[in-house]
Amino acid sequence: PNTISNNQHNQVTTMASLLSATNAVQSRNGQSCLPVHSSEGQATIPVRFDGTNLSISSNNPTANIIDGSSIDHGITKAPYERSFSPYEFNGGTTLAISGPDYAVVAADTRLSSGYEILSRNVSKLHPLTERCVLGSAGCKTDVDQLRSVLDIKMKVYQHNHRKPMATPSVAQMLGNTLYMKRFFPYYSFNVLAGIDSEGKGAVYSYDAIGSFERTPFSASGSGQAFLIPLMDNVISHKNRCDEQRDLPVEEVVEIVKDAFLTAGERDIYTGDAVEIKIITKEGIRTEMFNLKAD
């Protein structure tokens, strides 16, 4: 009664062989050869997965067959790593400059993904009030979601208080909104520009999780490293011996155009056109300036 019939034994053997063959195919991801790259061209080396020898067959030392059972070369039993990122950097550059009674905020209009240009006419500037504009670069989907959340909060404030939110209050609200998502941050790099309650230009610089400060200028996005040194010189007047003066808004607009031309020469994610918004107590007006399209 403890013996196994030949028929049952054959069934068990067949099942074991099937499982063994299946595991062997899965362990090498369906591959039976290792690719070899050399200056003479591509070639392959046959690989064994049966574990019958350690490296080169001892019975035939000249055989060009490598046993893959004990070598972790990526196509054996080592697990394959699969990765997914919820973020994508879609490029873009923003710049904001404050003046005595104005603020200028600008951004390019190129939308990229890797080495692909998805669109040449996408605005990265979003007016929140008649005296306040948000500039955002980064992941387009996160930027859109952030804009939606801010718009809802602005409408709630408008209904509750019967007046638009002041620019410093908008700056604080944006910081709170970003900090609220600190454990899964918006992949959005923001600058905020507007006119404060005293009629002076105000620019706020942010990090990804809501820390912010009021600064004379701010830049974000893929071309940030090209713009900040230039702004340190011509706006903040650092390390200069000549007298610093208040720049008229027309001169600042020309500086912004030159800055984006500079960034577009070195940054492939900045280009096509730059959208410039000039914010004063009278409201917001927009200018467009074409950049390189390559």
Side-chain angles (χ1 to χ4, degrees), residues 2 141 231 276:
N2 294 329
T141 53
M231 296 300 110
I276 306 171

Side-chain angles (χ1 to χ4, degrees), residues 208-220:
I209 58 172
S211 296
F212 71 99
E213 63 176 336
R214 186 167 176 171
T215 58
F217 71 89
S218 180
S220 70

Side-chain angles (χ1 to χ4, degrees), residues 53-258:
N53 49 17
L54 297 178
S55 56
I56 302 298
S57 173
S58 58
N59 297 328
N60 185 8
T62 61
N64 194 22
I65 299 178
I66 300 177
D67 176 27
S69 61
S70 60
I71 303 175
D72 184 14
H73 44 55
I75 60 170
T76 55
K77 297 181 181 180
Y80 282 79
E81 180 181 0
R82 297 292 185 262
S83 62
F84 167 77
S85 174
Y87 298 124
E88 181 177 13
F89 183 63
N90 295 123
T93 303
T94 65
L95 172 65
I97 302 172
S98 63
D101 57 354
Y102 64 85
V104 176
V105 59
D108 73 303
T109 61
R110 176 173 293 181
L111 183 71
S112 306
S113 178
Y115 292 106
E116 299 181 36
I117 296 177
L118 304 181
S119 176
R120 299 182 185 274
N121 188 28
V122 172
S123 176
K124 298 178 178 67
L125 304 181
H126 182 66
L128 294 173
T129 69
E130 294 181 355
R131 294 187 173 188
C132 184
V133 176
L134 172 69
S136 304
C139 181
K140 181 65 165 63
T141 53
D142 277 14
V143 169
D144 288 343
Q145 176 65 18
L146 176 62
R147 289 176 176 178
S148 298
V149 171
L150 294 176
D151 285 342
I152 292 171
K153 292 184 177 182
M154 298 294 292
K155 289 179 180 178
V156 170
Y157 184 93
Q158 176 77 32
H159 287 307
N160 289 339
H161 300 278
R162 299 292 188 264
K163 65 178 182 178
M165 191 180 296
T167 298
S169 300
V170 176
Q172 184 64 60
M173 182 192 68
L174 175 57
N176 294 346
T177 304
L178 295 173
Y179 186 74
M180 182 178 64
K181 288 275 291 180
R182 63 192 178 279
F183 297 115
F184 190 12
Y186 292 113
Y187 196 43
S188 173
F189 309 103
N190 305 285
V191 297
L192 187 71
I195 301 296
D196 63 15
S197 56
E198 298 178 357
K200 298 179 180 179
V203 167
Y204 298 88
S205 178
Y206 291 81
D207 69 359
I209 58 172
S211 296
F212 71 99
E213 63 176 336
R214 186 167 176 171
T215 58
F217 71 89
S218 180
S220 70
S222 56
Q224 179 188 47
F226 304 111
L227 298 186
I228 287 182
L230 178 60
M231 296 300 110
D232 279 336
N233 181 266
V234 298
I235 301 299
S236 296
H237 223 70
K238 292 182 179 178
N239 300 316
R240 294 180 60 165
C241 297
D242 55 325
E243 183 179 356
Q244 186 175 4
R245 59 188 177 87
D246 290 333
L247 300 177
V249 63
E250 295 79 13
E251 187 173 347
V252 169
V253 169
E254 293 303 315
I255 290 174
V256 168
K257 293 177 182 179
D258 288 341

